[in-house]
Amino acid sequence: MKTKIISITEGGKEQDKIYQEAAEIIKQGGLVAFPTETVYGLGANGLEEAAAAKIYAAKGRPSDNPLILHIAEVKQLERIVKQIPDAAKKMIQNYWPGPLTLVFEKADCVPYGTTGGLETVAVRMPNHIVAKRLIQESDVPIAAPSANLSGRPSPTKASHVAEDLLDKIDLILDGGSVGIGLESTIVDVTVTPPVILRPGYITKEMLTELLQEEISVDPALIQETETNLKPKAPGMKYRHYAPKAELIIVEGSSYQMARKIEELAAKQAAQGKQVGIIGTKEFQNEYRTGFIKIIGTRAQEETIAKNLYRILREFDESQVDIIYSEGFSSEHFGQAIMNRLLKAAGNKRIVLSEQ
């Protein structure tokens, strides 16, 4: 298979033809990678089991890891789920389109090949002009996990997609770099109160305030992965987002954390290892060893999220042996950042005691 890569900007007859071509691929059961506001997705017709199977094959994704259906209008939701609970209606009204995925009881038209064998289906309405237009032109819900090889850092630009999936899929729509850089928040609305299955830009605090009830977090998010877990949402069971090098997260207070990272990096370098460091602007003067990448500032966690996957991929290019990263807050958006980092590290962490 030869993958076609097309740069797309909105407007003009030429763009209309591009969307029509992409939509025809979806209708014919093919695979199209496209940008969303979170990461690039790998799309196929979510109502065709054979099309969903192609996603799993291209990514090397375990078949029990469910896919997310992407829609462009709320009326599409009514067709693919059995019911829309009141809590879900509030979240839809406030956060759709946007980086929020909701898990519902699936309608019969949604195949088990899309849901990983579950009776539930994850759905979101992306807030990206290319994604919305592609869904509208295709006129079907599009199943779309991140457009990368399973386990690799998610793609935040088209070149990342090509790096992993070139000649494994039909088309890549290049819409430039994405805005957020981390996958959507996933919330299970089949239970009361709703439960967060994956943290993201829409935080626990935001949802608790909206619904005026405490939103819980699935225990699987804060425990080591269970091999017998039946994942209800993407990212719950398997190691994800991982660089090729060993990644270790160091958690601690203030400069104690940064100084420990530099100490560990120096020891590894003295043994002849190529070392990478992921740090923030607040502590950048503490680092002197190895390949140092400043991911953003703690004052604006959005900068950290946007750069995370890009930096993990850059370390692969640098061929480092080990990476040390600062840890982040377990509240607000920091919870999503730590969730992705710990998945990438296989839960390898060093927690420093208070001094």
Side-chain angles (χ1 to χ4, degrees), residues 3 30-31 108 146 195 209 220 248 281 285 308 349:
T3 299
L31 301 179
D108 292 339
S146 55
V195 174
E209 182 178 357
I248 299 174
K281 287 183 179 179
N285 292 333
L308 175 59
R349 65 205 298 186

Side-chain angles (χ1 to χ4, degrees), residues 4-178:
K4 191 172 184 179
I5 303 175
I6 303 177
S7 179
I8 187 160
T9 55
E10 197 60 26
K13 291 183 178 179
E14 197 62 38
Q15 280 71 27
D16 291 343
K17 291 179 182 178
I18 293 170
Y19 282 114
Q20 290 165 8
E21 178 182 351
E24 189 60 30
I25 291 172
I26 296 291
K27 292 175 183 177
Q28 295 299 319
L31 301 179
V32 177
F34 61 95
T36 76
E37 74 276 29
T38 57
V39 298
Y40 272 74
L42 178 58
N45 184 343
L47 300 184
E48 282 191 7
E49 196 147 16
K54 289 182 180 180
I55 292 177
Y56 286 103
K59 285 175 60 70
R61 182 184 178 95
S63 60
D64 66 344
N65 199 3
L67 306 175
I68 294 174
L69 286 184
H70 292 63
I71 62 175
E73 300 176 5
V74 174
K75 67 180 181 181
Q76 289 180 297
L77 178 65
E78 297 167 354
R79 177 187 171 200
I80 58 178
V81 305
K82 285 188 175 179
Q83 59 179 333
I84 306 174
D86 289 339
K89 291 176 182 177
K90 286 184 181 180
M91 286 185 271
I92 288 168
Q93 185 177 4
N94 284 268
Y95 293 119
W96 276 15
L100 177 67
T101 295
L102 301 178
V103 176
F104 301 89
E105 293 181 45
K106 80 176 190 69
D108 292 339
C109 66
V110 180
Y112 289 112
T114 295
T115 68
L118 298 174
E119 296 294 340
T120 54
V121 60
V123 187
R124 101 172 175 97
M125 186 187 294
N127 189 21
H128 191 288
I129 195 164
V130 175
K132 289 191 288 187
R133 178 76 184 275
L134 177 61
I135 298 165
Q136 289 166 344
E137 290 284 346
S138 302
D139 197 31
V140 293
I142 292 181
S146 55
N148 58 303
L149 290 176
S150 186
R152 292 272 288 135
S154 298
T156 56
K157 53 185 181 179
S159 62
H160 295 162
V161 181
E163 182 182 326
D164 282 7
L165 299 177
L166 192 66
D167 298 337
K168 294 182 179 182
I169 64 177
D170 298 285
L171 175 64
I172 300 172
L173 293 178
D174 184 352
S177 296
V178 302

